[in-house]
């Protein structure tokens, strides 16, 4: 199975800060990388697919980049509603595997 | 409008069985792959398995951690997807979600465009 190493595990930042979360795959996964946002008590929200494609309705302050084994989720200007835990997911090859998650908090 | 709603979550003792249902509306489940995920205290988010669309055989794939114990199926006439869970363990405790996925042939597309709100499964003695 592909192992996804996500960092940091937690992050404290101020409103307006630029925030970066990284995911490293144990093997080349091309562009088969998605990002999810999870808030307590709510279903995960599918944010970004195939590395850098925003889902409809996702604010433009979110962006993704990378290829092969190294990937990044960036929030250009952190907003209070962005407080959540973020997960990367590689989906090809099977089985799909998630990173361990990054808990984002407001400083 | 596309709607998914999980049900059937409960507290059960280790070794027992449980069947979760994902009741859908607004689309034909035969035309889509459907997945189950879970969020557990120990492992965060985890893919449980998926069932391919009818056009790609309706076959299933499961995570190694549940293989041989969990089975995914669907009733197209009722628009329901099931997750049959047997020999439950404490590490199966978590919130279980079903998703609608764009079909992608034999592989899994990863494009989970709709999620249900989840149902809680608790396994303990």
């Amino acid at each position: 199975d592909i192992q996804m190493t996500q960092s940091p595990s937690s992050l404290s930042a101020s409103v307006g800060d630029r925030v970066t979360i990284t995911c490293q795959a144990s093997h080349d996964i091309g562009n088969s990388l998605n990002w999810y946002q999870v808030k307590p008590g709510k279903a995960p929200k599918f944010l970004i697919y195939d590395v850098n494609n925003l889902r409809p309705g996702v604010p433009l302050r979110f962006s993704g980049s990378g290829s092969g084994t190294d990937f990044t989720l960036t929030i250009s200007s952190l907003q209070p509603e962005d407080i959540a835990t973020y997960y990367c997911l590689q989906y090809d090859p099977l089985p799909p595997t998630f990173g361990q998650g990054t808990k984002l908090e407001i400083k | 409008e596309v709607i998914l709603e999980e049900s059937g979550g409960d507290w059960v003792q280790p070794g027992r069985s449980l069947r979760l249902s994902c009741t859908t509306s607004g689309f034909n489940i035969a035309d889509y792959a459907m997945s189950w995920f879970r969020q557990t205290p120990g492992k965060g988010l985890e893919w449980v398995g998926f069932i391919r669309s009818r056009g790609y055989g309706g076959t299933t794939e499961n995570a190694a951690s549940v293989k041989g114990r969990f089975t995914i199926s669907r009733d197209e006439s009722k628009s329901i997807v099931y997750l049959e869970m047997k020999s439950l363990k404490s590490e199966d405790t978590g919130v279980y979600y079903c998703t609608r996925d764009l079909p992608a042939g034999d592989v899994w597309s990863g494009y989970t465009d709709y999620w249900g709100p989840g149902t809680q499964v608790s396994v303990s003695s």
Side-chain angles (χ1 to χ4, degrees), chain A residues 30-83:
Chain A
N31 68 339
S32 302
L33 191 285
N34 297 343
W35 290 96
Y36 293 82
Q37 176 193 67
V38 182
K39 296 184 177 182
K42 296 208 167 182
K45 181 179 180 181
F46 183 21
L47 293 179
I48 291 174
Y49 64 98
D50 295 348
V51 177
N52 57 8
N53 295 280
L54 262 62
R55 290 262 294 134
V58 174
L60 294 179
R61 61 181 180 273
F62 288 90
S63 64
S65 63
S67 67
T69 60
D70 296 293
F71 304 91
T72 300
L73 172 69
T74 300
I75 306 173
S76 60
S77 178
L78 185 67
Q79 299 301 304
E81 59 268 31
D82 301 334
I83 297 313

Side-chain angles (χ1 to χ4, degrees), chain B residues 23-43:
Chain B
T23 302
T24 73
S25 61
F27 69 102
N28 186 346
I29 62 171
D31 295 334
Y32 289 83
M34 301 289 294
S35 293
W36 285 93
F37 291 83
R38 63 186 182 186
Q39 185 168 18
T40 65
K43 288 191 173 182

Side-chain angles (χ1 to χ4, degrees), chain B:
Chain B
E1 182 188 9
V2 172
I3 297 175
L4 290 75
E5 185 169 8
E6 303 89 347
S7 61
D10 202 349
W11 171 82
V12 295
Q13 294 180 317
R16 303 301 290 261
S17 299
L18 202 58
R19 187 178 77 166
L20 304 183
S21 299
C22 174
T23 302
T24 73
S25 61
F27 69 102
N28 186 346
I29 62 171
D31 295 334
Y32 289 83
M34 301 289 294
S35 293
W36 285 93
F37 291 83
R38 63 186 182 186
Q39 185 168 18
T40 65
K43 288 191 173 182
L45 276 177
E46 184 181 9
W47 174 81
V48 174
F50 84 109
I51 184 166
R52 295 179 176 85
S53 64
R54 188 206 299 165
Y56 291 103
T59 52
T60 62
E61 302 287 347
N62 288 328
S65 59
V66 306
K67 196 165 289 185
R69 300 189 300 125
F70 289 15
T71 302
I72 299 173
S73 63
R74 65 172 170 237
D75 185 328
E76 293 174 9
S77 67
K78 296 181 179 178
S79 297
I80 299 177
V81 180
Y82 298 103
L83 179 65
E84 189 81 43
M85 305 185 292
K86 299 180 179 179
S87 303
L88 281 161
K89 307 175 182 180
S90 58
E91 53 263 41
D92 296 319
T93 293
V95 179
Y96 284 71
Y97 301 97
C98 66
T99 70
R100 187 186 85 163
D101 314 328
L102 293 189
D106 198 45
V107 300
W108 185 61
S109 70
Y111 198 92
T112 55
D113 59 355
Y114 287 91
W115 290 64
T119 187
Q120 175 73 46
V121 172
S122 299
V123 184
S124 70
S125 52

